[in-house]
Amino acid sequence: MSDLLHPTVRPRRLRATPAMRRLVAETRLHPADLILPMFIREGASEPVQINSMPGVVQHTLESFERALVGAAEAGIGGVMLFGVPEEKDAVGSGAVDPKGILNVATRAAVAAVGDALVVQTDLCLDEFTDHGHCGVLDADGAVDNDASLLVYREMALAQADAGSQLLSLSGMMDGQVAAVRNALDEAGYGNTAVLGYAAKYASAFYGPFREAVQSSLVGDRRSYQLDPANRREGLREVELDISEGADIVMVKPAMSYLDVLADTAATSPVPVWAYQVSGEYSMIEAAAANGWIDRERTIDESLTSIKRAGADAILSYFAVEVAERLRSQESLRTPVGRSAGRRAK
Ligand code: PBG
């Protein structure tokens, strides 16, 4: 007896109870799919708060090691390391120096948690150059693609030697994946994996990160990062990185680029990751601090939407908090035989 006022098709049946909703959920967050970006500041004696990213710090080497243990205990999949050096120069010498902060931190991380977490390193020059660009400059002050590739190759060897398990190429130079893969293979680092930040857009959402790494950048990165207007070009970058040998590809930022992410996930033969960047983090924190949104629900929804669009794993400054919450939610589930509502606390 179906009529306009009594439909026979009722999707709401599958939304009726928490248990039914849980069973039919198409997308699940899991601690192993989350990667925590971390900042380590050379010479710091105390962790330094990042004002534009409440709750995120520049670590000292000691606080870094404590945080790594917490991250491993939370069960996340990996950590992505960024160094904040004391000294910068035109060619980013600190990036290739085995005693440079990122390489020192990488060694410490691999020794502390290298079996439990995948230790990943940002392979880009912007933290180490006094001009703040991701590559070296030519005589006219333009970012010199091919000269930068030579430095990336050296940086890759320094990072692989420090034990990095996944080199994360975020510089957006043409040919960077092939150049680095070749340098690694020639030096006997055939087992060191490469992540291509394939579709990395020139985004205002990186704003708070500039404070996090004390970037000296004047101007912008539009001559090498993608134009936010371009979807097809994002796919082209993904295809190039895969053809050059990327083991994993990334789309970045995440939430404003879910179309690019979905396109990539539909065709990529390699894992597809997304980076929920600093501005995405800070917007949620700022709105929640004002009482304008429910913080935890917004965090979960943001990460779920990124997974739903096709990310296999997500870099997020919320990674450890969410992993811990996912674990405690599972362990607090209603034991068999108790009625709903009388949950063990
Ligand atoms: C470049 C790099 C950036 C981010 C990660 N790697 C900054 C940029 O490209 O301007 C941004 C990450 C974030 O905003 O959380 N090494």
Side-chain angles (χ1 to χ4, degrees):
M1 54 152 265
S2 166
D3 60 47
L4 283 178
L5 295 179
H6 301 89
T8 50
V9 180
R10 293 182 182 272
R12 288 185 57 192
R13 288 182 197 120
L14 299 186
R15 300 173 201 150
T17 66
M20 184 65 90
R21 291 195 291 272
R22 177 170 178 268
L23 184 60
V24 302
E26 298 174 35
T27 307
R28 279 179 225 287
L29 296 175
H30 190 279
D33 302 331
L34 298 170
I35 298 151
L36 180 71
M38 301 177 83
F39 304 103
I40 308 92
R41 178 167 172 172
E42 189 169 33
S45 50
E46 292 291 323
V48 180
Q49 297 290 332
I50 300 164
N51 289 325
S52 54
M53 300 180 74
V56 180
V57 300
Q58 295 173 331
H59 282 290
T60 67
L61 278 169
E62 290 85 273
S63 74
F64 172 55
E65 290 199 29
R66 279 196 302 278
L68 285 170
V69 173
E73 285 171 357
I76 65 169
V79 288
M80 174 70 73
L81 310 187
F82 295 92
V84 185
E86 276 182 315
E87 311 267 330
K88 305 180 187 193
D89 62 24
V91 294
S93 307
V96 302
D97 181 353
K99 296 200 185 71
I101 183 62
L102 181 54
N103 298 321
V104 168
T106 301
R107 284 199 169 79
V110 172
V113 295
D115 294 333
L117 298 175
V118 178
V119 175
Q120 314 168 27
T121 45
D122 187 55
L123 201 164
C124 184
L125 284 174
D126 65 317
E127 285 102 57
F128 297 94
T129 50
D130 52 15
H131 47 73
H133 275 295
C134 293
V136 293
L137 307 183
D138 66 17
D140 301 327
V143 176
D144 185 335
N145 193 91
D146 301 3
S148 301
L149 295 183
L150 293 175
V151 186
Y152 287 2
R153 286 167 64 92
E154 275 188 71
M155 191 174 181
L157 298 184
Q159 294 189 352
D161 189 56
S164 175
Q165 296 156 348
L166 180 62
L167 307 189
S168 304
L169 280 64
S170 67
M172 290 300 284
M173 294 302 125
D174 293 337
Q176 62 183 9
V177 172
V180 162
R181 182 72 268 161
N182 170 261
L184 291 170
D185 291 347
E186 280 185 353
Y189 293 112
N191 290 326
T192 303
V194 169
L195 162 69
Y197 276 52
K200 178 174 178 181
Y201 286 83
S203 173
F205 291 104
Y206 307 146
F209 179 92
R210 302 278 160 85
E211 180 192 343
V213 299
Q214 290 163 291
S215 169
S216 6
L217 182 69
V218 181
D220 59 53
R221 307 196 194 287
R222 286 182 234 207
S223 77
Y224 42 104
Q225 298 179 347
L226 284 159
D227 183 337
N230 294 355
R231 176 173 178 168
R232 188 172 47 218
E233 195 185 357
L235 269 191
R236 178 167 193 239
E237 288 280 4
V238 167
E239 281 169 17
L240 277 170
D241 277 15
I242 293 171
S243 72
E244 290 179 25
D247 298 290
I248 300 168
V249 288
M250 176 116 86
V251 174
K252 175 186 179 181
M255 272 178 78
S256 294
Y257 298 86
L258 295 183
D259 53 343
V260 180
L261 179 57
D263 287 351
T264 302
T267 57
S268 173
V270 302
V272 176
W273 292 2
Y275 195 144
Q276 181 181 50
V277 301
S278 57
E280 299 180 71
Y281 172 89
S282 299
M283 284 197 304
I284 293 175
E285 289 291 354
N290 277 295
W292 295 338
I293 54 174
D294 178 320
R295 184 175 175 281
E296 290 189 358
R297 282 189 61 195
T298 309
I299 293 169
D300 289 355
E301 185 177 331
S302 69
L303 294 172
T304 300
S305 72
I306 296 165
K307 268 206 102 175
R308 190 197 61 231
D312 299 299
I314 306 170
L315 281 87
S316 170
Y317 301 95
F318 297 119
V320 169
E321 172 188 331
V322 170
E324 284 171 349
R325 184 143 38 79
L326 288 169
R327 292 189 137 195
S328 68
Q329 275 164 3
E330 280 306 302
S331 64
L332 287 176
R333 283 185 50 72
T334 311
V336 177
R338 298 224 195 147
S339 65
R342 280 179 48 216
R343 294 197 173 199
K345 277 269 148 63

